[in-house]
Amino acid sequence: MMARAGIALLNLLGRLPLPALRALGRFIGRVLFVLAVPRRRVALRNLALCFPEVPESQRRAWARESFVVFCQTFLDRGWLWSGSEALVRSRVKLVGALHELEGDTPTIVFAPHFYSMDAGGLALPLNTRREFTSIFATNPDPVLDAWFMAGRQRFGNVRMLNRADGVKPIISCLRKGGLLYLLPDMDYGRNDSVFVPFFAMRDAATIPSLSRFARLGRAKVVALYSRMTPEGYVAELTPAWDHFPTEDHVADTARMNRELEAAIRTMPAQYYWVHKRFKTRPEGQDSVYQ
């Protein structure tokens, strides 16, 4: 009942003018930054590890704004997932190398965890009729899980896959000329991870799925960087990466992180810093979050 009430409230708030909704999100985000002490510490620690050269005052300002953007994008799901198609199209823009969506070349869209990723996930099926596959973890609350799945599949020919489904349906979709929306930039544990640099951290556990899926699916790779703006969202599609993948999945994964670093530097407060990105350490190393 609580989940249903929360969804209903978000849908109701989604009818507010966008400036009013964003102002509410800013207020909640500032309060959450004060009250959510464990997550605040995680965000501050991540920023200190990645940007040791940046003054502490600036890192704290990024962390505070990160909480604000988190809340604003969460509230925006009310209109993203229940507003009219015309409303979503008016507020969510896809720009950049749109020609990469043409034809039927197997294509992986590298979509890192900026808070606006769900808006970017709608921008693509609104602008292409190609089959579109994405991978998400199941939410333990069935009501919330159904809400997430319905929202992410509301436009276009979208198929959501659980990680437990394995790689066969993913590769099958790619080889048939589909699009794969892939978010491989979190710390998913030691299994299948490699340790590659990410900003000042020289040994960030990162799954090499982008390189492996690209090779198995004979796919090109483009990136989609989603940004929250005062008017809504802008999702920018990059040209296909040259010389990717290679035969070296570790080198490919390090390159993926370098590409991501460049995007984060353009909007540092909009990245998902509240996640324990460096919780998995090489053998013998202590946790960086102690």
Side-chain angles (χ1 to χ4, degrees), residues 155-211:
F155 301 123
N157 182 16
V158 178
R159 181 185 180 194
M160 302 298 298
L161 296 173
N162 189 284
R163 290 196 188 99
D165 294 332
V167 302
K168 287 185 178 180
I170 299 169
I171 303 306
S172 174
C173 174
L174 281 174
R175 290 186 175 178
K176 288 188 297 183
L179 297 169
L180 172 63
Y181 192 74
L182 191 64
L183 303 87
D185 60 312
M186 295 283 98
D187 185 339
Y188 294 112
R190 190 174 302 278
N191 290 343
D192 300 321
S193 290
V194 295
F195 289 94
V196 292
F198 184 58
F199 287 110
M201 289 294 288
R202 310 315 298 170
D203 47 12
T206 310
I207 57 172
S209 57
L210 184 64
S211 175

Side-chain angles (χ1 to χ4, degrees), residues 31-44 67:
V31 171
L32 196 63
F33 182 73
V34 174
L35 298 181
V37 176
R39 285 298 157 183
R40 184 183 71 221
R41 288 174 177 166
V42 169
L44 289 170
F67 274 71

Side-chain angles (χ1 to χ4, degrees), residues 20-287:
L21 189 63
R22 291 283 173 81
L24 177 61
R26 177 166 293 278
F27 172 75
I28 296 173
R30 287 177 172 174
V31 171
L32 196 63
F33 182 73
V34 174
L35 298 181
V37 176
R39 285 298 157 183
R40 184 183 71 221
R41 288 174 177 166
V42 169
L44 289 170
R45 182 60 172 154
N46 282 336
L47 288 165
L49 291 168
C50 290
F51 300 100
E53 77 285 1
V54 172
E56 182 180 356
S57 59
Q58 179 62 76
R59 297 197 304 262
R60 191 173 184 85
W62 285 344
R64 183 183 299 108
E65 186 65 18
S66 183
F67 274 71
V68 167
V69 177
F70 170 81
C71 291
Q72 290 174 323
T73 55
F74 188 83
L75 292 180
D76 279 351
R77 287 188 174 99
W79 60 265
L80 278 170
W81 290 351
S82 68
S84 68
E85 180 176 337
L87 176 67
V88 176
R89 285 186 179 276
S90 72
R91 293 179 176 177
V92 179
K93 304 300 182 184
L94 183 66
V95 301
L98 304 188
H99 64 278
E100 299 288 3
L101 300 177
E102 298 171 359
D104 58 359
T105 301
T107 303
I108 298 177
V109 180
F110 170 51
H113 282 75
F114 290 100
Y115 292 123
S116 306
M117 61 186 174
D118 277 312
L122 291 184
L124 282 175
L126 281 172
N127 288 276
T128 180
R129 295 184 177 181
R130 292 174 65 179
E131 183 178 358
F132 181 83
T133 302
S134 191
I135 309 166
F136 283 90
T138 300
N139 190 287
D141 185 318
V143 173
L144 291 178
D145 188 63
W147 180 57
F148 280 116
M149 294 302 103
R152 288 164 175 161
Q153 297 179 92
R154 66 179 307 219
F155 301 123
N157 182 16
V158 178
R159 181 185 180 194
M160 302 298 298
L161 296 173
N162 189 284
R163 290 196 188 99
D165 294 332
V167 302
K168 287 185 178 180
I170 299 169
I171 303 306
S172 174
C173 174
L174 281 174
R175 290 186 175 178
K176 288 188 297 183
L179 297 169
L180 172 63
Y181 192 74
L182 191 64
L183 303 87
D185 60 312
M186 295 283 98
D187 185 339
Y188 294 112
R190 190 174 302 278
N191 290 343
D192 300 321
S193 290
V194 295
F195 289 94
V196 292
F198 184 58
F199 287 110
M201 289 294 288
R202 310 315 298 170
D203 47 12
T206 310
I207 57 172
S209 57
L210 184 64
S211 175
R212 288 174 172 168
F213 287 165
R215 288 201 311 275
L216 290 172
R218 298 187 284 273
K220 67 181 180 181
V221 170
V222 300
L224 186 72
Y225 302 128
S226 301
R227 181 189 304 268
M228 191 187 74
T229 69
E231 296 78 26
Y233 295 92
V234 174
E236 183 173 2
L237 196 69
T238 72
W241 293 0
D242 292 330
H243 311 298
F244 193 99
T246 69
E247 295 301 315
D248 187 342
H249 68 276
V250 177
D252 286 348
T253 305
R255 177 183 174 183
M256 180 192 81
N257 279 356
R258 291 195 301 273
E259 299 280 355
L260 175 56
E261 288 172 18
I264 290 173
R265 290 185 188 279
T266 70
M267 45 178 166
Q270 297 203 27
Y271 191 62
Y272 204 82
W273 297 115
V274 294
H275 166 73
K276 288 187 176 181
R277 179 61 185 86
F278 310 111
K279 62 186 176 184
T280 302
R281 307 302 305 136
E283 291 290 347
Q285 289 194 18
D286 294 333
S287 171

